[in-house]
Amino acid sequence: VARYLSEVQGFKKENVTILMDDGNHKPPTKSAIISAYKKLVKESKKGDVVFCHYSGHGGRLPDDNGDEEDGYDETLIPVDFEKRGQIRDDDLLKILVGPMPEG
């Protein structure tokens, strides 16, 4: 995906963040994923093209605030989920979607 973004879509390599549990990259811990999303929002400006790709485990937890019709929050499951927990869809809305500049 990173090579495609750089070679085909023209993304600069310094603007591509890779979190991977392969021993060569920063691991996709809960704090690393959240930090990467916050950095993306902070550095994005109106008119930018932003691409987020998550290739990992997902799950669901009982809805903790009553906003889900099915009674469950969808989640991303980071490598340290057993100690740090999962990342809920509500968290992504607050961290990534809501604060992202429009346009």
Side-chain angles (χ1 to χ4, degrees), residues 75-91:
T75 65
L76 303 181
I77 302 179
V79 294
D80 61 346
F81 77 96
E82 290 177 321
K83 290 184 180 180
R84 303 289 180 226
Q86 300 177 41
I87 302 170
R88 293 176 183 265
D89 54 4
D90 296 334
D91 299 327

Side-chain angles (χ1 to χ4, degrees), residues 31 40 53 63 65:
S31 65
L40 179 65
H53 174 80
D63 181 17
N65 65 1

Side-chain angles (χ1 to χ4, degrees), residues 2-74:
R3 190 168 64 225
Y4 169 79
L5 289 173
S6 338
E7 294 175 6
V8 177
Q9 296 299 322
F11 281 73
K12 295 178 183 175
K13 289 185 180 187
E14 63 267 19
N15 291 334
V16 175
T17 299
I18 299 173
L19 303 175
M20 191 181 309
D21 59 346
D22 63 353
N24 296 317
H25 297 88
K26 188 174 184 176
T29 62
K30 184 175 183 176
S31 65
I33 293 169
I34 290 171
S35 293
Y37 284 146
K38 286 181 176 180
K39 181 178 183 240
L40 179 65
V41 169
K42 183 179 177 184
E43 294 178 357
S44 295
K45 294 175 181 48
K46 184 176 182 173
D48 283 351
V49 173
V50 175
F51 179 85
C52 295
H53 174 80
Y54 177 80
S55 181
H57 292 281
R60 64 185 202 159
L61 294 171
D63 181 17
D64 63 353
N65 65 1
D67 69 334
E68 302 287 347
E69 272 187 42
D70 66 356
Y72 291 94
D73 283 323
E74 286 69 33

